[in-house]
Amino acid sequence: MEFELWWLLGIPVFFGLGWVAARVDIRQLVSESRTLPRGYFKGLNFLLNEQPDKAIDAFIEIVRMDPETADMHFALGNLFRRRGETERAIRVHQNLLSRPDLPQEQKEHAQYELGMDYLKAGLLDRAEETFNAMVSGQYAVQARRALLEIFQREKEWPRAIEAALGLQESGAGSRQKEIAQFYCELAQDALVHMHPEEALPLLDKSLQADRVNVRATMLSGDAQLAQGDVEGALLTWRRVEQISVPHTALVAQRMMDAYRKVGRPQEGVNLLKSYLEQASSIDLIEVVYKAVLELDGVDAAKQLVSNELRRTPTLLGLDKLLEARLMDAPANLVPELSMVKNLVHGYTQKLARYQCSHCGFKARQFYWQCPGCSRWETYPPRRTEELNVMN
Ligand SMILES: [Zn+2]
């Protein structure tokens, strides 16, 4: 390509354009900043120097003089709340609310934010009071949602049911799954206090809300068992397989115990084995393994875990196989096998967790409500290692 000298003329022109653009920006910035109150910069300076309390004072001073700065307060309050500095967030929002000339719309907004501050700070009574006063305004749905969260935290299940129904009626989506779980909580309480007759109608309501609720089905069986109806309990627990085969791992132990109780353990083993064929599960193997060992002896138990390990190669399965091998290993092999078994077992402790599919919270026991994110039914009934292998 041929170079022409006049191209060089373009360079100063570009510089010139850049300079003009920069000046325009700076002028605009200067004119905008003149419209901001001086206290704003004072407050910002305190904030940047990590003196948040002084910053709040400065900002409150501005809001007194200039109502337009309310949005800034909301931003500041939310920032504090997110950082866990709830006392400061409360102060910001309370100050905003104390202004007599605050427009109604912003007043409701500030009230809602204050309620959220209380909730985050764990001041549930105050949060409840704040949100209760808001269930008819423009923040009605948000307030109801917050109330639902409060009742769950307080384990006030009847009120949680009421709040969930209210939310549903206001068109905020279906809450049937949660309502079913709230009835299960009530039923479980009744079962703990040895009142199966109270638990059963609650579980019926739970299943009316969510027909495929595994927990309600399991608890219904428990209630029948508590009333001495073992056959009835078995029939009910068998319904779990129709809802979700992997969840049968959660009822396997009680089913096996019940089959022993009615004198038909072999029937129980065969049924659980059929579940195992449909959905490989380390929890299910654990139950079937013990039963097979008891009914058919060591060789059959060894064969079972060996087959399962081939099908789903996990360390948890290997741990089980080593346990089976150790039972009739020749004496000279026992020390070595024990060593390997202990080593593998040490590793599997970390892999044998349940994990929330929403927030990833890991737990040793199975939860219907995640302790991490408080969502319902987010735990798959499988151990983390199995999930990894399956993916
Ligand atoms: Zn979670």
Side-chain angles (χ1 to χ4, degrees):
M1 194 198 277
E2 200 179 329
F3 181 76
E4 286 185 46
L5 260 182
W6 66 267
W7 284 10
L8 289 174
L9 283 175
I11 296 171
V13 171
F14 280 125
F15 268 108
L17 284 175
W19 183 78
V20 170
R23 276 195 65 99
V24 168
D25 272 348
I26 288 167
R27 266 193 198 159
Q28 198 181 347
L29 209 68
V30 168
S31 78
E32 270 178 9
S33 71
R34 272 189 197 133
T35 64
L36 286 170
R38 275 191 59 210
Y40 176 79
F41 292 103
K42 212 168 117 192
L44 200 61
N45 202 26
F46 281 132
L47 204 59
L48 292 173
N49 285 315
E50 302 206 345
Q51 292 176 286
D53 287 314
K54 283 188 180 169
I56 295 173
D57 288 338
F59 287 130
I60 286 165
E61 192 54 37
I62 316 166
V63 104
R64 245 179 234 136
M65 293 183 291
D66 183 4
E68 295 290 305
T69 52
D71 280 340
M72 190 182 71
H73 275 69
F74 286 126
L76 195 68
N78 282 346
L79 180 77
F80 283 133
R81 188 170 70 226
R82 228 178 340 198
R83 284 172 37 159
E85 299 174 42
T86 44
E87 260 177 55
R88 290 195 174 113
I90 290 170
R91 231 184 107 205
V92 169
H93 292 130
Q94 270 176 342
N95 269 297
L96 206 53
L97 273 171
S98 68
R99 261 183 43 194
D101 59 332
L102 197 69
Q104 182 60 24
E105 196 183 316
Q106 290 189 332
K107 197 171 216 160
E108 282 189 41
H109 187 185
Q111 243 159 7
Y112 172 72
E113 297 295 346
L114 186 63
M116 293 307 279
D117 296 338
Y118 289 144
L119 190 58
K120 176 92 188 243
L123 302 166
L124 299 185
D125 286 350
R126 281 204 217 170
E128 191 183 324
E129 202 180 313
T130 309
F131 290 125
N132 261 330
M134 304 184 69
V135 289
S136 57
Q138 57 165 334
Y139 284 88
V141 173
Q142 287 99 318
R144 281 175 193 276
R145 236 179 245 146
L147 281 169
L148 179 60
E149 192 185 328
I150 293 168
F151 298 144
Q152 289 184 63
R153 279 210 223 166
E154 290 174 335
K155 301 198 182 296
E156 295 239 26
W157 306 115
R159 297 181 77 190
I161 292 168
E162 217 174 288
L165 286 170
L167 252 180
Q168 260 187 181
E169 275 164 26
S170 65
S174 169
R175 296 276 164 173
Q176 292 300 99
K177 218 167 140 178
E178 279 140 292
I179 292 171
Q181 289 290 345
F182 301 158
Y183 277 117
C184 282
E185 289 287 339
L186 286 170
Q188 188 149 4
D189 226 39
L191 281 174
V192 168
H193 292 99
M194 305 291 189
H195 293 298
E197 74 290 348
E198 283 171 25
L200 281 166
L202 292 165
L203 293 165
D204 282 344
K205 282 189 181 159
S206 174
L207 288 164
Q208 273 165 29
D210 179 13
R211 208 172 37 83
V212 291
N213 188 295
V214 174
R215 187 185 184 193
T217 312
M218 283 170 63
L219 290 174
S220 299
D222 291 356
Q224 284 168 298
L225 184 74
Q227 286 183 326
D229 181 7
V230 188
E231 294 288 356
L234 273 171
L235 279 176
T236 304
W237 286 327
R238 286 197 62 170
R239 289 213 306 264
V240 173
E241 100 186 57
Q242 287 150 25
I243 303 169
S244 156
V245 178
H247 279 89
T248 55
L250 300 175
V251 275
Q253 188 61 59
R254 6 188 151 183
M255 285 181 88
M256 200 55 231
D257 292 343
Y259 272 113
R260 275 196 200 99
K261 215 172 206 168
V262 293
R264 305 198 303 275
Q266 197 58 54
E267 193 184 324
V269 171
N270 292 344
L271 183 68
L272 295 184
K273 271 186 182 167
S274 76
Y275 294 162
L276 202 54
E277 265 164 41
Q278 294 171 66
S280 162
S281 152
I282 196 75
D283 289 326
L284 209 47
I285 294 172
E286 183 77 37
V287 180
V288 178
Y289 168 78
K290 271 190 208 145
V292 168
L293 189 66
E294 184 191 309
L295 293 171
D296 305 326
V298 182
D299 284 336
K302 267 197 301 199
Q303 196 57 47
L304 174 89
V305 280
S306 166
N307 289 347
E308 278 306 315
L309 185 62
R310 240 174 251 127
R311 205 171 116 202
T312 319
T314 60
L315 276 178
L316 289 164
L318 179 64
D319 189 22
K320 201 87 237 139
L321 181 69
L322 288 167
E323 186 186 321
R325 292 273 154 190
L326 259 171
M327 271 189 297
D328 63 349
N332 59 334
L333 280 181
V334 168
E336 217 166 58
L337 264 178
S338 302
M339 194 177 67
V340 177
K341 157 100 181 88
N342 289 340
L343 203 67
V344 171
H345 191 72
Y347 274 108
T348 55
Q349 290 310 294
K350 287 182 210 129
L351 304 167
R353 302 272 164 97
Y354 296 103
Q355 186 172 25
C356 170
S357 59
H358 180 75
C359 72
F361 192 94
K362 287 182 186 173
R364 274 175 208 279
Q365 73 178 88
F366 182 86
Y367 284 104
W368 293 103
Q369 184 184 27
C370 173
C373 65
S374 303
R375 288 185 182 238
W376 291 94
E377 295 178 46
T378 53
Y379 276 80
R382 294 183 187 281
R383 307 288 180 165
T384 44
E385 193 198 8
E386 288 178 280
L387 289 170
N388 290 341
V389 170
M390 280 157 54
N391 292 335

